[in-house]
Amino acid sequence: MSDELNNTRVETEYDAAQIQVLEGLEAVRKRPGMYIGSTSVSGLHHLVYEIVDNAIDEALAGYCKHISVTINPGESITVTDDGRGIPVDIQPQTGRPALEVVYTVLHAGGKFGGGGYKVSGGLHGVGASVVNALSVWLTVRVHKNGQIYEMKFSRGNITQEMRIVGSTDHTGTEVTFQPDPEIFDTVIYDYETLHTRMREEAFLNAGLSITIRDAREEGGPQDTMCYEGGIREFAMWCNRNKTPLHGDVVYMSGIKGDASAEVAIQYNDGFSEFILAFANDVHRPGGGMHETGFKAALTRAINAYGIKTGAIKGDDRVQGEDCREGITAIISVKLTDAQFEGQTKAKLGNAYIRTLVDSVVTDQLTTYFEEHPQTARAILDKAMTANRARAAAQKARDSIRRKTALGGAAMPDKLRDCNESDPSLTEIYIVEGDSAGGSATQGRDSRFQAILPLWGKMLNVEKAREDKVIGNDKLQPVITALGAGIGVEFDLTKLRYHKVVIMADADVDGSHIRTLLLTFFFRFMRPLIEHGYVYAAMPPLYKLVRGKTTRYAFSDEERDRISSEMRKDNPNAKVDISRNKGLGEMDPHELWETTMDPEKRTLKRIELQDAVRADEIFTLLMGEKVEPRKEYIEQNARHVANLDY
């Protein structure tokens, strides 16, 4: 970590006196979602992040250089660090060893002003104890004072008191835990999910080495990540499948008191902005004061340069969204007494951070522009082009509004609306083709289900600006039907349906249409996905008929199971199995029964768990560069099954 920003180092001795107790541990197993967000896959992985964040806190304090994360056979997790080791002496407030207090008492830790840490990602002090409470068993070993101290727990209860089990020549903490299947929907870890998070942590802590290993099978994947360039390398990595507008990354940093801020930006030739804001190494999806300060300063610096060079005249200034077109920005702040909104800590609320980031970006970006006029001009030209495109988009919006106002028909001609007006009770099926649209219209429940057929090839919005999107005759009906606007004007409160269901054939063309629509939603209506309003309908792949009995299967495995069930009384009985080629081939009754009836249908909710990965995949698959896409297809072709029939 650079000396300039390494102001998080702690000189105070880290001992039991700095562990402060706030309250007990009773509620965690009863309401785990309050502490880890959910008991789904994301909550399961959150357990690992909590333990790793404790190790990261040691790195921020200047004592940890390497962290190791291992997925063990049986889905247990081991996290090891070479920090100071959790204190093992007696904690004055409880009269118990500090190690025990940290793992058995909620809101106990060195992050509440005891002097153990200057900055921390957690701050609530719930990490270790919550992981312990939600694990079948947990073992912690502390290397400290030349001794190895060990303690064991089960579902938050002590099963082995702290004892010395050996001697050691180094310091650090090793935690191994087994997630509780009674709590979590699944206890199977995904290597890629953990790898993504660990890579992020390595980028944010320049010089920190993180190893992740999958030991569930022999020869499983393993990766060690260490980035001396820190967030500079992060920005370049995010742009690796895009065409950068300038070769170098603009890096800015500053310190005020105990707070530090780093910003790295690099523009690409795309049209979407991509900003990742971190506070104490934790991604804040809700942004916050650091992101607000950055946006204001960026707009101010670009306009100031434009006015100074004469490119911008009078009041003809570029707006914030113009300045951010095609930007990749990483913002990382570290501060004491960080204030986050809610237990999920999605948004940073400390007002002074806005001032710090604003002044750092304003001063250093202005200097950078003066010293690099070619890059500055390229960024300014892009902002001014975006400004003109935004004006064109506004004209397209106004034109549509005028037409609908004069024509008296605000909704698309092909939309078959529902009778219910309460958005929370309604759903819209966006259907591939007129024939499927006709079957869906006849088969639907018109009280709450609307149908919008799409026809022809849809625009790939990854390669288009907003003005082209608004004016597109294939997308415009979708924008109008949903009623919430597009881009910066998108307003979730105006959304006419709280279930937006993409219903396409189970073939290559259907997958392509789904991908094009999802690209559109991701780039221009992202809150739709973030709030869980977008679904994919799952029409059955197979129809099985024996006599008067008809059943449907959604996979090859289900087809085989149902087929054997239908032959249970007579192994030689004939079961006719047909594969559904397309939605248009189903009659209205079949479509309702299999794909649209809320009682029987299968819908897959489209979720956005990793914004970095989502941006990467959309750029890779739908962007201009052919070579990365070719490489991706070659690497993943062996995993494809049932591509088309």
Side-chain angles (χ1 to χ4, degrees), residues 54-115:
N54 289 341
I56 295 285
D57 291 340
E58 280 291 282
L60 292 174
Y63 294 96
C64 173
K65 298 297 180 189
H66 183 77
I67 298 168
S68 170
V69 179
T70 303
I71 311 173
N72 304 309
E75 304 299 328
S76 68
I77 297 286
T78 299
V79 179
T80 308
D81 69 67
D82 60 357
R84 293 169 290 179
I86 297 170
V88 293
D89 51 336
I90 299 299
Q91 198 273 335
Q93 204 172 335
T94 61
R96 302 293 298 170
L99 177 63
E100 176 186 324
V101 174
V102 166
Y103 277 89
T104 59
V105 181
L106 193 64
H107 295 307
K111 307 168 186 178
F112 297 104

Side-chain angles (χ1 to χ4, degrees), residues 228-250:
E228 295 296 340
I231 64 169
R232 295 177 182 87
E233 290 191 53
F234 199 174
M236 291 175 71
W237 186 86
C238 289
N239 274 340
R240 70 195 186 284
N241 292 323
K242 303 173 183 178
T243 304
L245 209 60
H246 46 102
D248 58 332
V249 173
V250 185

Side-chain angles (χ1 to χ4, degrees), residues 338-350:
Q339 302 297 317
F340 303 113
E341 295 182 7
Q343 177 58 42
T344 56
K345 298 172 269 187
K347 193 172 182 179
L348 181 67
N350 300 70

Side-chain angles (χ1 to χ4, degrees), residues 52 101 299 354 497 523 532 601 612 631:
V52 170
V101 174
T299 306
R354 180 183 64 204
Y497 314 92
R523 293 302 186 200
R601 70 189 178 187
V612 177
E631 192 177 308

Side-chain angles (χ1 to χ4, degrees), residues 351-599:
Y352 69 88
I353 281 293
R354 180 183 64 204
T355 309
L356 172 60
V357 174
D358 191 313
S359 66
V360 165
V361 174
T362 299
D363 296 345
Q364 295 181 33
L365 191 57
T366 300
T367 304
Y368 180 90
F369 283 166
E370 288 170 358
E371 294 173 353
H372 301 83
Q374 195 172 348
T375 300
R377 188 68 210 196
I379 292 170
L380 178 60
D381 285 348
K382 188 167 181 63
M384 291 177 73
T385 304
N387 183 266
R388 290 190 292 272
R390 188 170 52 82
Q394 191 58 52
K395 280 184 182 175
R397 283 195 191 93
D398 293 343
S399 171
I400 290 164
R401 285 177 188 138
R402 278 197 304 275
K403 284 177 184 174
T404 53
L406 293 169
M411 290 297 109
D413 292 338
K414 288 183 178 281
L415 175 69
R416 300 294 175 260
D417 213 348
C418 54
N419 301 324
E420 177 62 60
S421 57
D422 182 353
S424 65
L425 303 175
T426 64
E427 49 193 51
I428 183 170
Y429 278 80
I430 302 175
V431 185
E432 176 192 356
D434 282 338
S435 62
S439 295
T441 301
Q442 292 176 54
R444 66 171 176 157
D445 188 331
S446 60
R447 290 175 302 165
F448 64 94
Q449 292 179 323
I451 309 294
L452 180 65
L454 296 178
W455 70 101
K457 190 178 178 186
M458 195 179 299
L459 178 72
N460 178 8
V461 302
E462 191 70 22
K463 304 174 184 179
R465 273 200 174 91
E466 191 175 332
D467 56 319
K468 295 285 191 291
V469 173
I470 292 171
N472 184 263
D473 62 345
K474 307 295 187 298
L475 289 172
Q476 208 267 305
V478 178
I479 300 166
T480 308
L482 296 183
I486 184 176
V488 293
E489 288 189 358
F490 186 82
D491 183 355
L492 207 60
T493 63
K494 294 179 180 176
L495 185 66
R496 299 180 67 244
Y497 314 92
H498 281 191
K499 272 194 174 75
V500 181
V501 185
I502 303 169
M503 189 159 71
D505 291 342
D507 59 11
V508 172
D509 289 339
S511 297
H512 190 211
I513 286 169
R514 240 186 332 267
T515 306
L516 288 167
L517 263 173
L518 288 174
T519 307
F520 168 59
F521 290 147
F522 180 75
R523 293 302 186 200
F524 291 95
M525 297 182 178
R526 192 177 299 188
L528 270 186
I529 300 176
E530 290 172 339
H531 288 79
Y533 290 157
V534 181
Y535 297 79
M538 305 299 290
L541 289 177
Y542 298 100
K543 180 180 179 181
L544 296 89
V545 181
R546 180 191 170 186
K548 293 182 179 178
T549 304
T550 301
R551 293 182 66 181
Y552 298 92
F554 293 84
S555 66
D556 289 1
E557 293 77 18
E558 193 176 14
R559 175 199 62 194
D560 296 341
R561 179 178 57 77
I562 291 172
S563 178
S564 62
E565 285 176 7
M566 294 175 81
R567 291 190 180 96
K568 203 171 237 181
D569 62 331
N570 180 6
N572 299 316
K574 185 184 179 186
V575 177
D576 290 320
I577 302 174
S578 57
R579 193 182 191 281
N580 290 322
K581 291 288 186 181
L583 298 166
E585 292 184 9
M586 291 189 191
D587 62 44
H589 173 74
E590 280 183 311
L591 198 57
W592 165 257
E593 198 170 83
T594 62
T595 315
M596 301 180 73
D597 183 356
E599 299 292 323

Side-chain angles (χ1 to χ4, degrees), residues 157-191:
N157 300 307
I158 300 168
T159 56
Q160 177 191 298
E161 298 282 351
M162 186 179 78
R163 67 185 189 196
I164 296 172
V165 295
S167 56
T168 184
D169 60 356
H170 65 276
T171 61
T173 304
E174 178 187 298
V175 183
T176 302
F177 64 91
Q178 179 84 55
D180 194 342
E182 291 179 10
I183 298 291
F184 295 97
D185 304 339
T186 177
V187 290
I188 308 293
Y189 278 101
D190 179 59
Y191 176 82

